[in-house]
Amino acid sequence: MTKRQPDLSVFESLESEVRSYCRGWPTVFVHARGSRLRDERDRTYIDFFAGAGSLNYGHNDPALKRALLDYIGADGITHGLDMATTAKRAFLETFRNLVLLPRELPYKVMFPGPAGTNAVEAALKLARKVKGREAIVSFTNAFHGMSLGALAVTGNVVKRAGAGVPLVHGTPMPFDHYLDDQVPDFLWFERLLDDQGSGLNKPAAVIVETVQGEGGVNVARGEWLRELADLCHRHDMLLIVDDIQMGCGRTGAFFSFEEAGITPDIVTLSKSISGYGLPMSLCLFEPGLDVWEPGEHNGTFRGNNHAFVTATAALETYWTDNRMEKQTIARGEQVEQALHTIREEHPRLGAAVRGRGLVWGIEFAERHRASAVARRAFELGLLVETSGPEDEVVKLLPALTIPPEELDEGLRILARSVRETT
């Protein structure tokens, strides 16, 4: 008996045309646990999307759910703006003791609003205030958010066009490997900085992702990041690392920049910092940069106490030692091996594999093929998204907690999807 088609009528008739993910996954989801989702037709799906990286610990993690239910059951504060609450105190103390102090990071913590783009806006505003300069340097294929300041340092032409107004005070530079290693790193950037006739206003800051997720899973080398940090120091520019998608353990260590051995001046976090998919973002910065006036940057939903509760539980559950980091690296090796096998089995596709930790991408020379693979994967019970300027990369973001056998099952579906769309 054929299962009934999902009823999508209210979404199609009432919801804005701006919706996107639901077009690639035309079903109605009803249940989720760990790395599996189920829809109204009782079909199950393995999740290699993880809420665009906001569910590093999977759906409805038991420890996080229990902490949240207990807090709600006790009538804990829900909405607090920037008022002091027990939930915020517990998070700040836990974040300091389990994340900042072990890494000898001196950062102050700012709660700028619920989304990653709020953290980016705060970082850009703070850098300009500290340095008294307007210009910000970003990188080709970067993605930093959908509000105007964040769009100004984003590379994607379609997303930028959606602004509808000029996006100013941002200058793009080549990301690592962008020029196919034909030009020494930062030669052009440094020449512009040194030349009084270059037309480049001296930047207040440089903003960078260590791995460009939306840009196509482009991975910066550690030496490239170290050279960038040195360049910023020599030219009196602040270094902002956007760790919104790659932080909270996605690449292995809690912060994605740890492996490079650098200490950014400002760091933005969001997505998986709450651990449960609840809106929350942080802007971290060196204490000497804390020049804000009270209320100078604020937001109604910067005090999401439910997110503080689950964030604290996530840190206490997964970050008291280095087991999560080791597990992520091991799972990443499992993914890497499977993707290389796919590439070797289909040499005519001209596929390229790249990633770190548990963020991986397989790029196809025929740009349309990635979308075809993602569609077939959905039909077979796997959720994957595409990324890159032409959606030419199948991007894998499985939960860090995914069991190896489920990870392998999803990778087999991906391999079949590639095989059946060639």
Side-chain angles (χ1 to χ4, degrees):
M1 181 178 177
T2 303
K3 292 184 178 180
R4 63 181 176 86
Q5 293 299 307
D7 181 6
L8 301 172
S9 58
V10 70
F11 308 107
E12 294 169 350
S13 65
L14 190 59
E15 191 178 0
S16 166
E17 293 299 318
V18 78
R19 65 193 188 281
S20 60
Y21 289 114
C22 58
R23 298 180 188 273
W25 302 328
T27 192
V28 180
F29 295 103
V30 67
H31 179 270
R33 180 177 296 166
S35 290
R36 291 187 184 271
L37 292 90
R38 190 176 74 245
D39 68 11
E40 284 185 324
R41 296 175 295 169
D42 209 32
R43 288 197 63 196
T44 61
Y45 303 82
I46 295 177
D47 187 3
F48 276 15
F49 176 63
S54 63
L55 296 168
N56 279 3
Y57 316 110
H59 297 267
N60 289 302
D61 179 272
L64 280 58
K65 179 167 63 175
R66 183 73 264 159
L68 180 57
L69 290 174
D70 288 345
Y71 183 80
I72 293 173
D75 291 333
I77 299 293
T78 297
H79 183 274
L81 293 113
D82 66 0
M83 296 183 292
T85 66
T86 56
K88 183 196 284 190
R89 179 171 60 195
F91 169 73
L92 285 170
E93 291 175 346
T94 305
F95 188 73
R96 177 191 61 199
N97 295 338
L98 296 184
V99 176
L100 298 181
L101 290 180
R103 294 162 180 80
E104 298 181 347
L105 295 173
Y107 297 136
K108 298 288 289 292
V109 179
M110 176 183 179
F111 301 100
T117 196
N118 302 122
V120 170
E121 296 288 351
L124 300 180
K125 185 190 288 188
L126 180 60
R128 288 170 170 141
K129 180 178 175 66
V130 168
K131 292 299 181 182
R133 304 191 290 265
E134 296 178 352
I136 304 289
V137 164
S138 57
F139 291 94
T140 50
N141 289 314
F143 177 75
H144 295 290
M146 298 298 285
S147 49
L148 291 182
L151 277 177
V153 291
T154 287
N156 187 284
V157 65
V158 175
K159 292 180 172 64
R160 290 175 62 88
V165 297
L167 297 172
V168 296
H169 309 307
T171 303
M173 291 291 166
F175 191 70
D176 196 10
H177 300 304
Y178 185 77
L179 299 174
D180 298 323
D181 302 323
Q182 298 300 305
V183 178
D185 295 334
F186 306 111
L187 176 66
W188 175 241
F189 191 2
E190 189 134 30
R191 182 70 59 86
L192 291 177
L193 289 169
D194 290 336
D195 184 1
Q196 296 298 306
S198 70
L200 175 67
N201 294 330
K202 186 170 184 179
V206 175
I207 185 168
V208 67
E209 303 156 276
T210 66
V211 181
Q212 295 181 327
E214 297 303 308
V217 193
N218 306 310
V219 182
R221 294 165 295 144
E223 55 264 37
W224 187 87
L225 292 168
R226 288 189 290 274
E227 190 172 345
L228 175 61
D230 179 66
L231 178 68
C232 288
H233 178 74
R234 287 187 286 106
H235 287 274
D236 187 34
M237 302 179 296
L238 298 178
L239 177 60
I240 305 169
V241 167
D242 181 339
D243 235 4
I244 287 167
Q245 189 169 81
M246 298 304 152
C248 302
R250 175 55 58 181
T251 64
F254 188 86
F255 294 108
S256 70
F257 56 81
E258 291 183 52
E259 185 178 302
I262 63 173
T263 302
D265 300 291
I266 303 175
V267 179
T268 58
L269 285 176
S270 187
K271 290 194 182 284
S272 276
I273 186 60
S274 82
Y276 205 73
L278 298 174
M280 177 179 177
S281 72
L282 306 179
C283 187
L284 313 176
F285 40 82
E286 299 273 2
L289 304 180
D290 194 8
V291 297
W292 293 113
E293 296 292 334
E296 188 175 7
H297 187 94
N298 57 35
T300 302
F301 294 102
R302 66 193 184 277
N304 184 350
N305 283 261
H306 290 172
F308 296 153
V309 169
T310 56
T312 301
L315 294 176
E316 292 175 341
T317 302
Y318 294 108
W319 293 101
T320 57
D321 53 33
N322 63 359
R323 284 182 295 175
M324 175 58 72
E325 179 177 352
K326 290 181 177 180
Q327 176 177 295
T328 298
I329 293 171
R331 299 283 193 274
E333 291 171 352
Q334 184 179 348
V335 174
E336 181 180 16
Q337 182 178 356
L339 293 185
H340 279 296
T341 298
I342 292 173
R343 180 179 60 83
E344 291 163 3
E345 288 178 349
H346 305 279
R348 73 179 185 84
L349 294 180
V353 172
R354 52 184 179 263
R356 273 181 61 197
L358 269 176
V359 51
W360 285 89
I362 179 165
E363 178 185 6
F364 295 95
E366 296 177 336
R367 298 321 214 194
H368 68 278
R369 191 168 300 280
S371 294
V373 169
R375 283 194 300 271
R376 184 57 180 150
F378 171 74
E379 294 168 356
L380 296 173
L382 175 69
L383 303 183
V384 291
E385 68 170 329
T386 58
S387 70
E390 300 177 68
D391 285 325
E392 72 276 16
V393 177
V394 173
K395 176 183 172 188
L396 279 60
L397 284 174
L400 310 185
T401 54
I402 187 170
E405 58 274 12
E406 285 189 10
L407 183 58
D408 187 58
E409 182 181 352
L411 291 168
R412 288 198 304 270
I413 295 175
L414 178 64
R416 178 181 169 186
S417 301
V418 173
R419 186 167 61 252
E420 294 184 358
T421 53
T422 57

